[in-house]
Amino acid sequence: MVETLLGATNLTGQEFTILAVIVLLAGIVRGFSGFALSAMIMATAVLILPPIELLPMLWWLEMSASLLMLKGGWADADRGTAIGLVIGSTAGWPLGLWLTVTLPVETSKLIALSIIIVLAASQLSKLKLPFLATKTGLYGTGIVAGIVSGLAHVGGMVVALYVLASDAPARQMRGSLVLFLFLGSLTSMITLLAFGVMDFSGITRGLVFALPTLLGVYLGQKMFIPTLAQYYRPFCLALLCVLAGAGLIRTTLF
C-alpha cells in the first residue's frame, strides 16, 4: 500500500511524510481563517516540489477544502462581494499571465508580496482605506487579485486584504473568502487545462493529499468559535504579513 502511494505520487517516503504534515497544518489554518491553504503550502513545500508541480495539486486541495466549507461559507458570505471579486479576478488573470511572459518573474513576485505586506501592516495599524468600500474598489481588487495570481499566485491574499478591510462580522468575512475561493477554483481549472499544467501526477497528488488536508480543515473549523472571533481579523492580517514575508525571503535568497 505504502509503495503504491509513493509510486503514484512519485515521492520518497520522507517527502511524502513532510508533505502530509504540511497540508495538515495548512488545512487547519484554512479551516479557521477561510484562506491561506495554497500560500502556506507554496511557501514550504516548494523545497520538495517546484511551483509548476504544486499548482495542479493545490487546485484539488483548494477544491476539497472549499467543498467541505461551502455550506457554511454560502450561508455566511456577502455573496455580492464574493461574486464581484471573482468577476474582477477572472478578468485580471489573462493580464497577469501576459505580464508573466514579459516581466522577470522574480521581480513580479517581489512587487506583489511587498504590496501585500504594506497593506496588511496598514490594516494592523488600523489605517482606514475608504476607497475599498466602493464598487470601483471591489472590482479593482478582483482585477488586481487576478493579475497577481498570474504573476505570483497570491491572488487569494489580495482578496483577503479587501475582505478584512470591511467592518463585517468575522463569520461573514470568513464566509466571503470561502465562497470566493470556491468560485475562483472553477475558473482557474480552465486556465490550468489551457496551459497544460493539470497533469496526471498533479491530479494523483491532489487526490492523495486531499485526505490530510480535509482532516486539517475539519480541525480548523472546530477552532472557529465565538470566543475566538474577536481574534480573527488580527490573526489573519498577521498571517498575511508572515506568509508574504516568507515569500519575499524565499524569492530573494533561493
Side-chain angles (χ1 to χ4, degrees):
M1 178 65 176
V2 174
E3 292 299 325
T4 301
L5 285 175
L6 296 179
T9 56
N10 195 25
L11 297 168
T12 66
Q14 184 180 29
E15 290 172 339
F16 188 95
T17 302
I18 293 173
L19 275 177
V21 173
I22 287 174
V23 301
L24 174 66
L25 295 176
I28 292 173
V29 175
R30 172 72 145 86
F32 178 78
S33 69
F35 75 104
L37 176 67
S38 291
M40 284 192 65
I41 295 174
M42 188 67 78
T44 51
V46 73
L47 298 176
I48 297 174
L49 294 172
I52 195 67
E53 292 187 35
L54 285 172
L55 286 176
M57 182 185 86
L58 288 174
W59 187 91
W60 291 98
L61 300 187
E62 285 285 5
M63 179 55 73
S64 299
S66 293
L67 289 174
L68 184 61
M69 300 181 70
L70 183 59
K71 182 178 179 181
W74 180 264
D76 298 331
D78 181 335
R79 291 168 218 169
T81 295
I83 292 172
L85 289 168
V86 170
I87 292 172
S89 179
T90 302
W93 253 98
L95 178 56
L97 291 173
W98 176 76
L99 289 172
T100 297
V101 300
T102 58
L103 293 176
V105 176
E106 299 307 312
T107 299
S108 302
K109 288 182 179 179
L110 286 172
I111 293 172
L113 293 169
S114 296
I115 290 172
I116 287 172
I117 287 179
V118 170
L119 292 177
S122 298
Q123 289 193 41
L124 276 172
S125 63
K126 299 184 179 180
L127 179 68
K128 295 295 183 180
L129 303 172
F131 70 92
L132 293 178
T134 65
K135 284 289 184 183
T136 302
L138 171 66
Y139 291 106
T141 300
I143 292 172
V144 171
I147 293 172
V148 299
S149 289
L151 284 170
H153 310 293
V154 292
M157 294 169 70
V158 173
V159 170
L161 281 170
Y162 175 86
V163 172
L164 292 168
S166 70
D167 292 324
R171 185 170 293 277
Q172 186 182 93
M173 289 191 284
R174 177 172 172 268
S176 297
L177 283 167
V178 169
L179 184 57
F180 167 80
L181 289 171
F182 172 72
L183 296 176
S185 292
L186 299 178
T187 59
S188 63
M189 170 59 92
I190 298 173
T191 305
L192 291 172
L193 289 172
F195 282 82
V197 176
M198 185 59 72
D199 56 10
F200 178 77
S201 180
I203 294 172
T204 303
R205 289 169 180 158
L207 294 176
V208 169
F209 287 107
L211 293 177
T213 300
L214 289 173
L215 174 60
V217 171
Y218 174 78
L219 295 174
Q221 285 182 302
K222 292 298 182 182
M223 294 169 61
F224 190 79
I225 55 179
T227 54
L228 294 179
Q230 60 180 317
Y231 303 110
Y232 176 80
R233 190 172 181 276
F235 169 80
C236 291
L237 288 171
L239 177 63
L240 284 169
C241 288
V242 171
L243 289 175
L248 280 173
I249 293 172
R250 189 182 71 245
T251 302
T252 304
L253 299 181
F254 298 99

